Amino acid sequence: MKRLIRTIGWDLLLQLRYQIITVAVVITAVYTLVFRLLAKNGFDEVLVVIIFSDPVMIGFIFIGAMVLFEKGSGTIDALIVTPLRKTEYLCSKVISLGLIATICSLAMAIAGHGWSMNYFLFIYGVVFTSSIFTLIGFIGVSRVRSMNQFVIIIPFFMIPFILPLLNFFNLTSSWILYLIPTQAFLDLLWAAFFTMPVGRIVLAMIYLPVWLGLVYYFALKAFDRNIILSSHT
């Protein structure tokens, strides 16, 4: 546990050094200002979608940037020969980026909607979604060697996960989209601000941990296949 805590602290320091935290703060500040100036009736759907994108993009994009920085500096190769376990490495990334995503998302939610919300459902959804997309981002970036390559693969990973927005804006009503974890996140965000059937809330709260366990398994496989094996070739 002490090693994990130290690793989280180190990751936060790296995120500050690589300007990741700075970028997140600037983006949040811009959105917060816009929300304060423009928030009005009928703004709720836009607010939910923008908040929806924050932990998704922080998790996916920022883990990509971090891993590529570490690859370029030889940090990952050095970590492989240390006592740090791959589970600790991944959990540190998930926790540190999840902390940033939660703070930024809360700031935007309060600016756009006010203080009245279900904080448990909101934080639950943000934490699990950020964790899922941090691990999905790791799976993606573990296969590439440059930011240009990472940018190319982003649409292939992200497009399927934004499809639930079709349901959200009532363009479709497909139950198939409920198999995608971002549908559960959208439900929790809406439930945090407004009323929603309890059954949908419970289903969303169960479904996100299931997806987290699934992507965590594949992230471990990607670490073995694309990080450890490639370092020995």
Side-chain angles (χ1 to χ4, degrees):
M1 181 60 69
K2 290 182 179 179
R3 187 165 54 203
L4 175 59
I5 293 173
R6 288 196 300 268
T7 306
I8 293 170
W10 174 248
D11 273 336
L12 288 171
L13 181 61
L14 287 178
Q15 290 160 19
L16 187 61
R17 181 181 302 171
Y18 296 149
Q19 304 298 313
I20 288 175
I21 292 179
T22 303
V23 171
V25 170
V26 170
I27 293 174
T28 301
V30 171
Y31 276 131
T32 298
L33 179 61
V34 171
F35 291 160
R36 298 299 295 175
L37 293 175
L38 301 180
K40 53 187 176 181
N41 292 335
F43 185 72
D44 298 319
E45 287 81 3
V46 176
L47 173 66
V48 168
V49 170
I50 293 175
I51 295 174
F52 158 84
S53 69
D54 191 62
V56 170
M57 299 310 294
I58 284 180
F60 192 92
I61 302 296
F62 288 178
I63 185 65
M66 285 193 69
V67 172
L68 287 172
F69 281 135
E70 291 176 346
K71 283 183 176 182
S73 64
T75 302
I76 291 184
D77 291 337
L79 288 174
I80 290 174
V81 297
T82 68
L84 185 70
R85 300 184 181 93
K86 58 187 177 183
T87 55
E88 294 168 334
Y89 175 87
L90 291 174
C91 286
S92 177
K93 295 289 189 292
V94 165
I95 293 171
S96 59
L97 290 173
L99 179 62
I100 296 172
T102 301
I103 293 173
C104 292
S105 297
L106 273 174
M108 289 192 292
I110 292 170
H113 184 77
W115 293 90
S116 178
M117 72 179 84
N118 187 317
Y119 287 92
F120 173 75
L121 292 180
F122 185 91
I123 294 174
Y124 186 97
V126 169
V127 168
F128 273 99
T129 303
S130 172
S131 301
I132 289 169
F133 279 90
T134 297
L135 293 173
I136 292 174
F138 177 81
I139 294 169
V141 77
S142 69
R143 298 172 175 269
V144 303
R145 296 183 178 274
S146 69
M147 182 57 74
N148 288 338
Q149 292 177 341
F150 185 60
V151 170
I152 290 173
I153 71 170
I154 287 175
F156 297 98
F157 278 84
M158 298 303 295
I159 287 176
F161 291 102
I162 65 175
L163 291 178
L165 290 174
L166 297 174
N167 277 353
F168 181 73
F169 286 109
N170 296 317
L171 299 175
T172 63
S173 58
S174 174
W175 65 267
I176 295 177
L177 297 183
Y178 280 84
L179 300 177
I180 303 173
T182 40
Q183 177 68 62
F185 182 39
L186 285 168
D187 284 352
L188 289 180
L189 283 181
W190 193 260
F193 298 142
F194 309 103
T195 58
M196 176 171 286
V198 175
R200 285 180 63 178
I201 296 175
V202 172
L203 179 62
M205 294 181 68
I206 293 173
Y207 201 52
L208 287 178
V210 171
W211 259 88
L212 180 58
L214 181 66
V215 296
Y216 180 70
Y217 170 81
F218 285 106
L220 290 176
K221 293 294 185 181
F223 194 99
D224 289 335
R225 184 182 306 112
N226 301 323
I227 302 296
I228 294 180
L229 289 181
S230 65
S231 69
H232 296 297
T233 59

